Amino acid sequence: ASITGKWMAMLKEIAPHVTRAMLIGNPRTMPYDYYLRAAEALAPSLGIEVVPSRIETSADIEHAIDSLARMPNGGLVLPPDATTNVHRDLIIALAAQHSLPAIYGAPAFVSAGGLMYYGSDRLDDYRQLALYVDRILRGANPADLPAQVPTKYETGINLKTAKALGLTVPPGLLVAA
């Protein structure tokens, strides 16, 4: 739940005017309800209303983002999801067309023109995975290995997109990026 809270807080930090955040994802390809519950638990303390948007197709994505754009003070939160990743260019284009600030759970969105990314350090995740594989190959029972959570996180901000949206990136976010 902590990463969902961080996404919501960072969206509010870079775009203080946001009072409505659409959480977009496909429940068939990611734990959507987990992210939604976490977002709904934190949103009131940030003065944000969460707008759930379960999607499966590009048409669903277009409809969702177009409907959010008709409401004032909207923003987008996109956790890591195979479906949204496939439609990355469409999502970034719609966010730009409607001047919607967005935070993504995958770094490829920022390099493709999206506003902001926050997530675990992928290289560190793979190192941890390699250590687990090594332990298993040396005879450890996978059921006996403790669950691990990421310990390193990274932030990415596309300054060109921030400028196009008329957003001033707070110094704390610049340092994190």
Side-chain angles (χ1 to χ4, degrees):
S2 63
I3 195 159
T4 308
K6 187 72 172 173
W7 290 325
M8 300 289 287
M10 289 176 79
L11 180 64
K12 188 71 172 184
E13 187 175 355
I14 199 165
H17 68 279
V18 169
T19 57
R20 191 171 283 106
M22 179 173 277
L23 184 75
I24 297 178
N26 183 344
R28 294 176 186 244
T29 57
M30 54 97 82
Y32 185 83
D33 290 334
Y34 167 81
Y35 289 118
L36 179 61
R37 282 191 304 275
E40 289 175 334
L42 179 71
S45 68
L46 296 171
I48 296 176
E49 171 194 351
V50 176
V51 180
S53 183
R54 293 169 178 85
I55 55 89
E56 290 186 19
T57 67
S58 60
D60 294 341
I61 292 167
E62 287 185 56
H63 175 73
I65 294 175
D66 288 345
S67 70
L68 180 67
R70 287 191 290 275
M71 297 182 255
N73 303 319
L76 301 169
V77 176
L78 291 100
D81 176 13
T83 303
T84 57
N85 195 48
V86 166
H87 299 291
R88 177 178 54 232
D89 293 337
L90 171 66
I91 293 165
I92 291 168
L94 289 170
Q97 174 187 335
H98 296 298
S99 298
L100 295 170
I103 186 162
Y104 304 95
F109 280 85
V110 171
S111 57
L115 175 61
M116 187 168 36
Y117 157 74
Y118 179 78
S120 63
D121 179 321
R122 302 281 166 103
L123 187 57
D124 190 58
D125 291 347
Y126 292 131
R127 280 189 201 112
Q128 294 298 326
L129 176 62
L131 293 173
Y132 256 52
V133 169
D134 180 62
R135 290 174 70 182
I136 293 166
L137 291 175
R138 292 177 187 269
N141 179 354
D144 294 337
L145 295 176
Q148 292 205 346
V149 295
T151 56
K152 291 184 180 179
Y153 290 86
E154 55 189 13
T155 301
I157 299 172
N158 187 317
L159 296 176
K160 182 178 175 185
T161 301
K163 184 177 180 180
L165 292 171
L167 300 174
T168 301
V169 181
L173 282 179
L174 278 176
V175 169

